[in-house]
């Protein structure tokens, strides 16, 4: 005679087995990230292969950019692997020191002889064979700092003097340093990260609206009193005007031509015409235009879906961390979602002519050392948060 097992014990046993069988890492997210990185490497190769035929890069060789991008991805993967091994409680302790380090680097890059100047912008610190861009490090540091700010100010974050003013002053200081480089794009993304995290963390809506108005006003003043920025804004409104198409809107007009040539399914991988010295920065800021030309509407749509999945998972991982009362983890995860969402929207919007032209790379896809490495590290920490969420579901505390 077999002994019957009570229904509640059978249910608990099934739940326990389900928790045990649950993988310790978010494989769909990791797969999509790896696919984006691999796709970016392929598109950097396609967009840069012809650059050596022009006068600007004649000494670089046809495989210069793809080789360097491969090295950046490899270094980023190693550092991301190391970052994923660090418990989140350690990252929380390091949040403030890393933010201060990022501020120091933003100051150092402005010092003549330390920072490297290219086309009037001083954004890089030479480190031998590579140039480090502190503004990319600041994006990760700002996610950490804003997350820590929410944790420490959770009782007073809705107050004006104790919650709103301090974060405004911090973002203003960072923004001032970024504007001095000048790097308006990095300032916009960094400000959006800070505003997004504190808004999710509970800052009052009226202060959030005030923050948007304040930084929006600062941005408008910067554009109005900088002739080259003002020109970019006005030519973006009418890129096909002859003097614009052959002048300040040259890049935008050729980006739109690339999308037009791609139509639904593209002209074929490697068959872009615009990358043949017609479209400037085809392998960096305007790589989506090359994707649109070679892979068409279908290719760009799949790319957007991939980024939407990464952003959705970031917010979902954050929601799970909130349910487990891991506030810093939650804010960090959702801050990554804000960062990738804003930067992806701006980059693709610029290429499509929806937004004024601004130099911002597409995370994981565009060519770039610091941006690629910092993006991989940020996503590795996101996967670490998810890993700790899953361990908590199993009853394992870290």
């Amino acid at each position: 005679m077999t002994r019957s097992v009570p229904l509640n014990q059978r249910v608990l046993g099934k739940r326990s087995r389900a928790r045990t069988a649950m993988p310790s890492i978010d494989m769909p997210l990791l797969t999509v990230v790896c696919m984006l990185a691999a796709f970016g490497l392929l598109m950097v190769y396609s967009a840069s292969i012809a650059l050596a035929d022009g006068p600007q890069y004649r000494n670089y060789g046809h495989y210069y950019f793809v080789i360097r991008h491969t090295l950046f991805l490899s270094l980023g993967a190693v550092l991301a692997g190391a970052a994923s091994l660090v418990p989140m409680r350690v990252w929380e302790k390091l949040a403030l020191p890393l933010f201060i380090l990022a501020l120091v680097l933003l100051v150092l890059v402005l010092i003549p002889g330390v920072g490297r100047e290219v086309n009037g912008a001083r954004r890089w610190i030479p480190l031998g064979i590579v140039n480090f861009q502190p503004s990319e490090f600041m994006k990760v540091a700002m996610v950490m700092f804003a997350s820590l700010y929410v944790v420490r100010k959770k009782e007073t974050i809705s107050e004006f003097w104790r919650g709103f003013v301090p974060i405004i002053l911090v973002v203003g200081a960072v923004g001032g340093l970024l504007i001095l480089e000048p790097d308006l794009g990095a300032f916009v993304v960094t400000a959006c990260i800070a505003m997004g995290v504190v808004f999710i963390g509970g800052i009052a809506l009226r202060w959030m609206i005030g923050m948007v108005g304040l930084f929006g006003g600062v941005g408008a003043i910067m554009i109005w009193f900088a002739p080259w920025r003002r020109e970019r804004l006005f030519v973006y409104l009418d890129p096909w005007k002859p003097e614009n198409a052959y002048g300040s809107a040259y890049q935008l007009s050729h980006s739109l031509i690339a999308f037009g040539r791609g139509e639904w399914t593209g002209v074929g991988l490697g068959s872009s015409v615009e990358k043949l010295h017609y479209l400037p920065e085809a392998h960096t800021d305007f790589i989506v235009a090359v994707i649109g030309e070679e892979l068409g509407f279908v290719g760009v749509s799949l790319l957007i879906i991939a980024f939407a999945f990464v952003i959705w998972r970031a917010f979902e991982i954050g929601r799970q961390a909130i349910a487990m009362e891991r506030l810093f983890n939650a804010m960090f995860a959702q801050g990554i979602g804000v960062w990738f969402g804003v930067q992806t929207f701006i980059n693709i919007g610029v290429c499509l002519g929806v937004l004024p032209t601004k130099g911002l790379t597409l995370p994981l896809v565009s060519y770039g050392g610091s941006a690629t490495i910092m993006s991989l590290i940020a996503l590795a920490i996101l996967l670490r948060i998810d890993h700790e969420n899953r361990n908590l579901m199993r009853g394992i505390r870290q």
Side-chain angles (χ1 to χ4, degrees), residues 26-316:
D26 190 335
M27 286 306 300
L29 175 59
L30 180 60
T31 301
V32 172
V33 168
C34 291
M35 288 175 63
L36 280 171
F39 177 69
L41 181 63
L42 176 65
M43 293 312 303
V44 167
Y45 170 71
S46 177
S48 65
I49 189 67
L51 291 179
D53 295 330
Q56 184 177 359
Y57 300 107
R58 68 174 57 177
N59 297 323
Y60 283 65
H62 291 287
Y63 306 105
Y64 173 82
F65 291 102
V66 71
I67 290 173
R68 285 178 64 86
H69 195 64
T70 302
L71 293 175
F72 295 146
L73 284 172
S74 301
L75 178 58
V78 171
L79 294 176
S84 68
L85 298 176
V86 179
M88 288 308 299
R89 66 176 184 275
V90 176
W91 284 119
E92 186 172 356
K93 293 177 181 178
L94 292 174
L96 186 56
L98 288 175
F99 180 75
I100 294 172
L101 174 61
L103 277 176
V104 172
L105 291 173
L106 286 180
V107 173
L108 289 176
V109 79
L110 298 173
I111 300 175
V114 177
R116 179 171 178 245
E117 184 175 342
V118 178
N119 297 327
R122 194 180 295 275
R123 303 175 186 173
W124 301 270
I125 296 177
L127 297 176
I129 61 173
V130 297
N131 295 312
F132 178 69
Q133 193 168 354
S135 60
E136 295 296 334
F137 178 49
M138 175 52 78
K139 293 173 186 176
V140 180
M142 179 58 81
V143 176
M144 288 190 178
F145 176 81
S147 302
L148 183 65
Y149 185 84
V150 170
V151 171
R152 294 187 176 182
K153 296 278 188 176
K154 60 183 177 181
E155 303 297 333
T156 59
I157 195 168
S158 61
E159 298 178 13
F160 179 76
W161 289 109
R162 299 172 67 184
F164 175 69
V165 172
I167 192 66
I168 281 289
L169 294 176
V170 170
V171 176
V174 173
L177 292 171
L178 291 171
I179 289 168
L180 289 174
E181 293 186 2
D183 193 345
L184 182 60
F187 166 63
V188 170
V189 174
T190 305
C192 286
I193 290 170
M195 290 189 294
V197 171
V198 297
F199 179 68
I200 295 169
I203 198 169
L205 179 60
R206 61 183 181 277
W207 305 136
M208 182 65 183
I209 295 173
M211 193 182 300
V212 172
L214 176 62
F215 289 118
V218 171
I221 292 171
M222 288 176 56
I223 291 172
W224 185 257
F225 287 100
W228 72 92
R229 292 196 183 109
R230 190 169 65 246
E231 186 179 16
R232 278 186 175 184
L233 176 63
F234 289 124
V235 300
Y236 135 83
L237 298 173
D238 188 8
W240 300 115
K241 193 176 180 180
E243 54 265 35
N244 293 341
Y246 291 101
S248 297
Y250 177 84
Q251 197 172 25
L252 174 58
S253 61
H254 279 275
S255 176
L256 296 175
I257 290 170
F259 281 108
R261 292 192 74 249
E263 297 185 349
W264 287 98
T265 57
V267 297
L269 186 63
S271 300
S272 168
V273 171
E274 286 300 318
K275 70 183 182 184
L276 304 177
H277 310 288
Y278 293 103
L279 176 62
E281 307 299 334
H283 61 307
T284 54
D285 302 343
F286 279 80
I287 198 167
V288 175
V290 178
I291 295 171
E293 185 178 2
E294 295 189 351
L295 303 178
F297 175 81
V298 173
V300 175
S301 297
L302 291 175
L303 179 68
I304 293 173
I305 290 170
F307 275 107
F309 176 79
V310 172
I311 295 163
W312 170 73
R313 283 303 301 154
F315 279 95
E316 183 65 14

